[in-house]
Amino acid sequence: MRDAQTESSAILLTGATGFLGKVVLALLLRERRDLRINRIHVLIRAESQQAAEARFETEIVGSACMADRTEALRALARPVLGDCAEPRCGLADEVFETLTSEGVRVIHCAASVEFDLPLEDATRANVEGALNVLAFAQACSKMTSMVSVSTAYVTPHQSDATPIQEALSPLPLARFDDDPEVLLRAIRAGELETEALLRECGHPNTYTLTKCLAEHLLTRRSRRCGSVPLTIVRPSIIAASRRAPMPGWIDSPAALAAFVLMLGSGYLRVVAADLEARLDIVPCDEVAARVITAALASPPREEPAPIIHCVAGLENAGRIDVCQRRIIEYFRLHPVMGGPRLAYIGPNSEHGGWRFGIEHLIRHRLKGALAIRLLEGVGNTRLADKARQLGQRQEQINASFAYFTHRSFDFRTSAPLDKSLDTQRYMDLVCAGVHRHLMHGDERALSLAGRQHIRRGFDAPWALGVGRSRAAPRTLRRSENLAIRGCGYLLTKILDRCAQRIQFDRPSFTAAMLACPEGRLPIVLPTHRSYLDFLLIPYLFFSRPDLGLPMPYIAADKQFARIPVLGRIARAAHAFFLERGTGRPDPALCQAVDRLVADRQSVLFFIEGERSRSRDFGAPRRGLLRSLQSTGTPMVALPIAIDFDRVPEEATFESELAGAPSPGIRMRVLAGWLRRLLRGEIDLGTIQISCGEPIPFDGQTDCHVLSRRVLASMAAARGVSTYHLRCFVSRAGAPEIDVDFLCRAIRDRGGRVIESRLRPPDDLASRTELALRGQWMHHFFPEARVLYGEDPVIAHYLE
């Protein structure tokens, strides 16, 4: 893009509110200095200029892909009221005169991508819109150029082995005097029957037909009535961006994204497709880059106009069986709505697949009709309408996309991708983009367990089978012992009853694993706020083998070993026991640590020693850390923060904060808590698990410095629950401070806010509420230091 041109340029961009148009605009802004762009006129359809400006603000400036380009966008881009489908592009006379006298390079991205649009409507959007934009370019008094975005599928499929070249696709125009203008007039006059015309031309839908007709008319008219250098860019199936404006960016639920969204959410259970067919999927930013290069390259006025395929190519196109497998695997690990429930994928009846019709009838039509009848029977017409719309969407996807999912297209291109696509990695990126931008999922808060968690099937088969899937990569498969799998099953039952949602920050764990030096033994160091800490981290590692973290051996207090039955189960589930507070080395512990390290087994322990009653960090206990260091083995500490709305020991902590002694571990208390759990009286709200920055260490590392770095990493990883803030607001008595104000203030100070639905209880103890402030008050310490730093009490507390 950088060598495209040297003169300053003004751009007229259509379709900027669409997916591709936004990415084109974002790349123009990013490269504006190198491309010497001095103005971008953004054509927006609206009722008035004020409405166009409002749409510019909400749909473009407010888009996530413009988050770091807002200043440049406001300085360089100008919303212009217009409509491509209208003569003179719907521009006001004075605006039309100003723009045509200035001279602009035209990038025409606007189009209707609906496959089943009526022929007259599709012609208006895709043919007449393009011709009106060309007429505008021809009216410019200064030299200009135009790029029109078409589609690679304008050439009807003949066979999988037939190459598709960068040339105009022939239209069967014999009965139209070999003149596309005659065909256009016949469509305008409503003289043609759509289905007959599609069969005659070999096109699957009105979208590809009207795009093909637009190409013919553009190339003819661009050489008449004021010659304009024209380039046609033909993308294949546009999907999420590869790199810019951000990896995985997508905001359109069309084409491939529709399949990903419907499959991933479980709403599409039967798919019509040839598993060996290849989908030519191209990243949106690759298309945008070629569009910009073509717009600024000033092609010669040659015949015919240059046509550029922006495609992956047959060698990079993804097989449908690979694509669907990656989609299902991704959304099983990132469940949203119902999670994937694909029952059948195969050819439809037109391609010899008898089973598709039966599966589609049973799993879509009959189930949908039954759901509609039941919902209408109970008077819920709103959900019945949604179920009816879902059925229509299922029918539409399998009907409209069957042409593309049963055929492979051998597109040839003069502008291949800079780097070949790894289909599986790119499909993961597409899924991540759909998950984040279309389903509004948050990888920093992926569901793990709890009442709101979606888990298909029964818990026992899940616990016995997790990590054993043959479809999973060999490096992710493992075979835990029966005790661990049994504990996994029981803990699933407990967590699903005691908490609304247990979630974890996937990117923090991914970043930590990437930052870990290769070959170092991971030592897991969580915060310690509850007895549940012993179980949550192993449960995370067990449930999510894709994290690549081994099941750790857990250092527990010797009190646990004395509990009948539970002590033996704990040993079988990778627990070993130590005695704290003796002040002298424990030979048995040292032998156990040496044995584990020699076997390359990961170890989990709590560097704070005891549970924190006040949510502050306790002084580090370094005995076990020194034992690990004494082995001389290079290791890496993985600090992990566990944030609770509430903890099971809240009442006990309240009494201890009031001065009562610690009661220790008592079976009677545990049994009472379990009875309350079974009665549905326990609600811990949201529990968040996040990984801090990994810290390499060995026998030469200063233990005091290491322990302080671990605590600092834990503190940086923890978040603030909106439950904690509600508790404060309910007791603060300051009407000018609300939860939204505190959330904004904490985020502005670099903090992480964890959304929780839990409401403060009426009997919330004052000491407990004060302790909860320790979870978030530190974000305001800089202001406290400025305002009250001279007060010795405040200064001591801040230190």
Side-chain angles (χ1 to χ4, degrees):
M1 280 197 293
R2 300 192 175 192
D3 298 328
Q5 54 96 40
T6 57
E7 297 180 0
S8 296
S9 297
I11 305 289
L12 175 69
L13 174 63
T14 72
T17 56
F19 175 37
L20 175 61
K22 283 193 188 80
V23 179
V24 169
L25 181 56
L27 294 190
L28 286 171
L29 293 171
R30 188 186 70 179
E31 304 285 342
R32 62 190 181 279
R33 293 185 178 87
D34 289 345
L35 299 176
R36 298 174 61 83
I37 297 171
N38 55 33
R39 176 66 66 185
I40 304 173
H41 303 283
V42 180
L43 193 70
I44 297 179
R45 186 176 59 193
E47 295 180 355
S48 64
Q49 178 62 33
Q50 184 178 6
E53 291 174 358
R55 198 175 170 203
F56 176 79
E57 287 292 325
T58 56
E59 297 185 35
I60 298 177
V61 178
S63 172
C65 72
M66 299 294 177
D68 57 348
R69 298 173 174 85
T70 304
E71 184 177 346
L73 181 61
R74 295 189 188 280
L76 206 63
R78 173 193 170 200
V80 177
L81 176 65
D83 186 347
C84 298
E86 298 293 335
R88 294 162 62 98
C89 293
L91 295 168
D93 291 342
E94 64 275 12
V95 176
F96 185 86
E97 295 300 330
T98 300
L99 293 181
T100 53
S101 63
E102 176 185 0
V104 294
R105 297 176 184 269
V106 179
I107 299 178
H108 178 51
C109 296
S112 171
V113 296
E114 294 183 46
F115 288 170
D116 55 358
L117 207 63
L119 180 59
E120 292 78 8
D121 294 341
T123 301
R124 175 177 168 83
N126 297 330
V127 179
E128 298 193 22
L131 296 178
N132 290 332
V133 173
L134 175 64
F136 166 85
Q138 291 171 327
C140 291
S141 58
K142 298 180 181 179
M143 194 281 292
T144 189
S145 64
M146 175 177 170
V147 172
S148 183
V149 178
S150 183
T151 173
Y153 295 96
V154 292
T155 303
H157 183 270
Q158 296 179 13
S159 73
D160 290 357
T162 302
I164 300 175
Q165 306 293 346
E166 294 173 322
L168 280 177
S169 173
L171 276 170
L173 299 173
R175 69 184 177 106
F176 302 105
D177 302 325
D178 293 322
D179 188 346
E181 300 282 0
V182 177
L183 175 56
L184 176 60
R185 288 196 294 271
I187 293 173
R188 285 172 173 168
E191 300 172 353
L192 302 174
E193 198 274 319
T194 301
E195 293 302 323
L197 181 62
L198 290 176
R199 287 194 298 270
E200 182 179 354
C201 297
H203 282 273
N205 51 58
T206 58
Y207 171 69
T208 62
L209 172 62
T210 53
K211 281 293 190 179
C212 182
L213 178 57
E215 288 189 5
H216 280 268
L217 291 167
L218 285 172
T219 54
R220 285 168 65 97
R221 293 192 184 185
S222 66
R223 301 192 295 270
R224 303 182 326 207
C225 305
S227 180
V228 172
L230 171 71
T231 303
I232 296 172
V233 176
R234 289 178 177 171
S236 53
I237 302 171
I238 301 178
S241 290
R242 202 178 190 181
R243 289 179 284 266
M246 65 184 74
W249 163 252
I250 188 169
D251 75 342
S252 170
L256 179 69
F259 267 111
V260 174
L261 197 154
M262 292 285 283
L263 273 178
S265 61
Y267 291 139
L268 189 65
R269 302 193 62 184
V270 181
V271 176
D274 180 349
L275 291 175
E276 295 184 358
R278 292 180 174 270
L279 291 177
D280 194 294
I281 306 165
V282 62
C284 189
D285 50 338
E286 298 279 3
V287 180
R290 281 153 183 76
V291 166
I292 294 171
T293 299
L296 300 175
S298 297
R301 292 170 171 80
E302 58 184 42
E303 298 184 19
I307 295 175
I308 301 171
H309 277 163
C310 187
V311 296
L314 194 59
E315 67 280 2
N316 289 320
R319 278 177 46 128
I320 286 182
D321 57 347
V322 175
C323 293
Q324 66 90 13
R325 186 166 60 248
R326 299 306 295 182
I327 294 169
I328 291 172
E329 287 179 1
Y330 181 89
F331 284 100
R332 278 179 178 161
L333 296 176
H334 304 77
V336 178
M337 301 178 209
R341 293 185 291 171
L342 182 65
Y344 175 76
I345 179 170
N348 59 17
S349 57
E350 294 179 11
H351 296 84
W354 59 269
R355 184 179 166 188
F356 169 80
I358 297 174
E359 295 282 356
H360 180 59
L361 174 66
I362 296 172
R363 300 183 186 275
H364 287 166
R365 291 179 177 174
L366 293 181
K367 292 189 74 171
L370 178 61
I372 292 169
R373 183 67 60 88
L374 290 174
L375 289 168
E376 288 178 339
V378 298
N380 196 333
T381 56
R382 185 180 64 85
L383 283 182
D385 288 341
K386 286 191 173 184
R388 195 173 287 109
Q389 293 169 7
L390 174 61
Q392 293 170 353
R393 186 65 171 148
Q394 292 166 339
E395 297 279 353
Q396 180 190 39
I397 284 182
N398 276 317
S400 300
F401 291 99
Y403 174 81
F404 306 96
T405 57
H406 289 83
R407 296 168 174 85
S408 299
F409 292 78
D410 185 9
F411 298 117
R412 304 299 172 88
T413 179
S414 59
L417 301 184
D418 297 334
K419 185 179 180 182
S420 63
L421 281 176
D422 180 322
T423 302
Q424 297 194 35
R425 292 183 62 183
Y426 181 60
M427 278 306 303
D428 288 344
L429 184 65
V430 172
C431 291
V434 170
H435 176 259
R436 177 182 177 186
H437 299 293
L438 298 182
M439 294 179 164
H440 307 294
D442 185 359
E443 281 215 317
R444 298 187 66 190
L446 285 182
S447 178
L448 183 68
R451 289 192 292 275
Q452 298 172 9
H453 180 64
I454 300 167
R455 183 181 293 108
R456 287 293 167 194
F458 296 101
D459 292 334
W462 169 80
L464 290 172
V466 67
R468 289 177 171 173
S469 171
R470 293 185 179 181
R474 184 177 298 275
T475 54
L476 300 185
R477 296 182 214 163
R478 56 194 188 199
S479 179
E480 272 78 27
N481 62 43
L482 188 60
I484 289 176
R485 294 189 179 276
C487 289
Y489 168 76
L490 290 174
L491 191 54
T492 297
K493 294 296 187 184
I494 292 172
L495 295 177
D496 286 352
R497 293 188 68 89
C498 76
Q500 295 179 10
R501 183 178 173 92
I502 293 95
Q503 59 194 31
F504 72 103
D505 182 346
R506 170 63 184 269
S508 70
F509 282 92
T510 301
M513 293 304 294
L514 290 174
C516 286
E518 188 174 353
R520 286 184 177 254
L521 184 64
I523 303 300
V524 184
L525 302 171
T527 53
H528 202 12
R529 304 291 179 265
S530 167
Y531 285 134
L532 277 181
D533 299 331
F534 286 95
L535 306 172
L536 286 170
I537 302 303
Y539 185 79
L540 170 64
F541 294 178
F542 169 74
S543 302
R544 297 299 300 251
D546 55 296
L547 292 177
L549 287 161
M551 284 294 293
Y553 280 76
I554 307 163
D557 193 282
K558 279 191 175 180
Q559 293 183 75
F560 287 99
R562 303 186 187 104
I563 300 176
V565 181
L566 290 181
R568 295 184 62 183
I569 294 175
R571 287 184 188 276
H574 285 193
F576 67 100
F577 304 100
L578 53 87
E579 187 170 358
R580 294 188 181 275
T582 62
R584 60 183 184 275
D586 183 346
L589 173 63
C590 292
Q591 290 177 7
V593 169
D594 289 343
R595 185 172 61 255
L596 291 173
V597 172
D599 292 341
R600 302 294 296 174
Q601 299 292 345
S602 179
V603 175
L604 180 154
F605 70 96
F606 301 99
I607 197 168
E608 298 172 272
E610 295 183 345
R611 296 163 296 154
S612 172
R613 276 70 173 158
S614 63
R615 306 280 178 131
D616 288 330
F617 286 96
R621 305 287 184 89
R622 304 182 181 92
L624 186 51
L625 193 59
R626 288 194 180 96
S627 295
L628 289 165
Q629 285 186 288
S630 67
T631 66
T633 302
M635 302 179 188
V636 59
L638 287 179
I640 295 177
I642 308 175
D643 296 309
F644 292 86
D645 280 359
R646 306 184 72 173
V647 294
E649 305 94 328
E650 195 169 274
T652 303
F653 287 173
E654 161 67 14
S655 64
E656 290 183 49
L657 289 170
S662 174
I665 301 171
R666 293 178 296 178
M667 283 298 297
R668 180 173 58 82
V669 175
L670 176 60
W673 187 82
L674 289 174
R675 282 195 298 272
R676 293 178 59 210
L677 180 73
L678 292 174
R679 291 197 298 263
E681 299 173 359
I682 303 294
D683 190 353
L684 304 181
T686 298
I687 301 173
Q688 170 80 27
I689 306 172
S690 306
C691 191
E693 180 184 357
I695 305 169
F697 69 96
D698 54 29
Q700 305 303 315
T701 305
D702 186 303
C703 191
H704 290 78
V705 173
L706 173 61
S707 61
R708 287 197 297 269
R709 288 186 63 192
V710 167
L711 293 181
S713 184
M714 289 175 175
R718 68 178 175 173
V720 181
S721 171
T722 52
Y723 169 75
H724 304 153
L725 303 180
R726 290 190 195 102
C727 291
F728 170 75
V729 169
S730 68
R731 293 299 183 93
E736 68 277 9
I737 298 177
D738 60 14
V739 172
D740 289 339
F741 168 81
L742 291 172
C743 288
R744 288 193 301 271
I746 290 168
R747 290 189 180 106
D748 289 344
R749 289 157 176 78
R752 164 90 182 277
V753 176
I754 302 166
E755 296 294 333
S756 172
R757 298 180 183 179
L758 191 64
R759 315 304 299 184
D762 295 334
D763 59 348
L764 178 68
S766 58
R767 288 188 180 88
T768 298
E769 190 277 315
L770 286 171
L772 293 179
R773 299 184 191 184
Q775 193 80 17
W776 58 274
M777 275 292 191
H778 59 280
H779 291 291
F780 299 91
F781 281 2
E783 287 91 338
R785 197 180 303 277
V786 171
L787 294 173
Y788 308 109
E790 295 181 0
D791 186 302
V793 176
I794 298 295
H796 176 73
Y797 177 77
L798 296 179
E799 289 302 322

